[in-house]
Amino acid sequence: MKHSKLTTQRGDSTWLEIPIPKNFQFDESRFNSKIEMDETGIVRYHNKVLKETHRNSIFGLGKCIVANDKIELAFSAKILGNEYFEGITLDTIPLVVKEINDITGMNISVDGILTKSIMRSFDNTYNLPLDEHGVVGEYVKALQFGSVGSSKLGVTGYGDESIVFKLETTTTKNRILFYDKIAQLQKKDKEFYRIFNTDKFDNTLRCE
């Protein structure tokens, strides 16, 4: 395996909330209204939820809700298209903002995400380049020996395509996954694989 410094925090997916900025705009025709009232008929909340037709017109946008005082967004790195390999980073946030604004008609900013938002979750990912060609599956199978000698570390292998480690503790459950990203895209994300350039994932072991 090649040696490289993991100097960049990369995300595969994130969920965050942004306070409604001044002079905020969005295309209401692309959103549905969702109203919930309490038992007395008083409105508890009135949200605008991005319509499925628009949300599904782009890869990776899981949620877009405009509430009274915040915008709730959930998206994966697939929203980056050809830059999917780079993941969600400080450098790719401008592209994320552009894609979301184009789909929603909103005018959120990079600064709004980087300095104003509350991050509810952030799933890290690492791309581990290999020296040899065609050996990702061998690395995956070799990792199955990683739990030897540990009663708390469970391992579940799925052939030569992926392996999941779970550390059972009393307070939390930790999980880490290694897999062949190209194989996964070819099986589960065929449309994304067909449209976008995923060559950078060749001979790369993916870790999440």
Side-chain angles (χ1 to χ4, degrees), residues 112-127:
I113 287 183
L114 295 182
T115 67
K116 305 293 195 306
S117 68
I118 298 173
M119 189 171 292
R120 298 300 184 186
S121 68
F122 186 85
D123 296 323
N124 288 314
T125 187
Y126 303 98
N127 298 313

Side-chain angles (χ1 to χ4, degrees), residues 78 81-85 181-183 185-186 189-204:
K78 287 188 178 71
N82 286 323
E83 301 302 317
Y84 178 40
F85 180 86
K181 187 63 182 182
I182 286 291
L185 288 171
Q186 290 173 336
D189 295 289
K190 294 180 180 179
E191 191 69 6
F192 186 91
Y193 180 77
R194 182 184 67 83
I195 295 173
F196 296 106
N197 184 357
T198 57
D199 290 347
K200 288 184 178 180
F201 285 109
D202 286 339
N203 305 306
T204 297

Side-chain angles (χ1 to χ4, degrees), residues 28-46:
E28 291 199 46
S29 69
R30 304 181 192 184
F31 289 74
N32 288 321
S33 291
K34 185 176 181 180
I35 302 173
E36 181 174 309
M37 299 182 179
D38 63 19
E39 62 277 2
T40 65
I42 297 176
V43 175
R44 294 180 59 190
Y45 65 77
H46 181 187

Side-chain angles (χ1 to χ4, degrees), residues 102-116:
D102 286 348
I103 292 298
T104 63
M106 296 196 300
N107 61 343
I108 61 173
S109 67
V110 173
D111 181 68
I113 287 183
L114 295 182
T115 67
K116 305 293 195 306

Side-chain angles (χ1 to χ4, degrees), residues 41-173:
I42 297 176
V43 175
R44 294 180 59 190
Y45 65 77
H46 181 187
N47 293 344
K48 298 287 187 177
V49 181
L50 186 66
K51 293 179 179 178
E52 291 291 300
T53 52
H54 295 286
R55 187 176 65 80
N56 293 331
S57 68
I58 188 173
F59 289 95
L61 184 56
K63 181 189 298 184
C64 179
I65 299 173
V66 179
N68 292 329
D69 59 351
K70 65 184 179 182
I71 304 160
E72 186 174 352
L73 294 171
F75 53 88
S76 79
K78 287 188 178 71
I79 201 170
L80 298 168
N82 286 323
E83 301 302 317
Y84 178 40
F85 180 86
E86 302 304 323
I88 302 167
T89 69
L90 293 176
D91 292 332
T92 59
I93 284 295
L95 179 55
V96 170
V97 169
K98 177 185 180 300
E99 295 294 338
I100 291 176
N101 284 343
D102 286 348
I103 292 298
T104 63
M106 296 196 300
N107 61 343
I108 61 173
S109 67
V110 173
D111 181 68
I113 287 183
L114 295 182
T115 67
K116 305 293 195 306
S117 68
I118 298 173
M119 189 171 292
R120 298 300 184 186
S121 68
F122 186 85
D123 296 323
N124 288 314
T125 187
Y126 303 98
N127 298 313
L128 308 175
L130 306 178
D131 291 317
E132 303 172 88
H133 293 275
V135 296
V136 175
E138 294 180 29
Y139 273 83
V140 170
K141 288 189 290 186
L143 284 168
Q144 294 185 26
F145 295 100
S147 64
V148 174
S150 173
S151 60
K152 292 185 178 181
L153 183 61
V155 58
T156 304
Y158 299 91
D160 62 354
E161 292 184 1
S162 65
I163 186 168
V164 180
F165 292 95
K166 290 184 179 180
L167 181 63
E168 302 292 339
T169 64
T170 56
T171 57
T172 185
K173 291 184 178 181

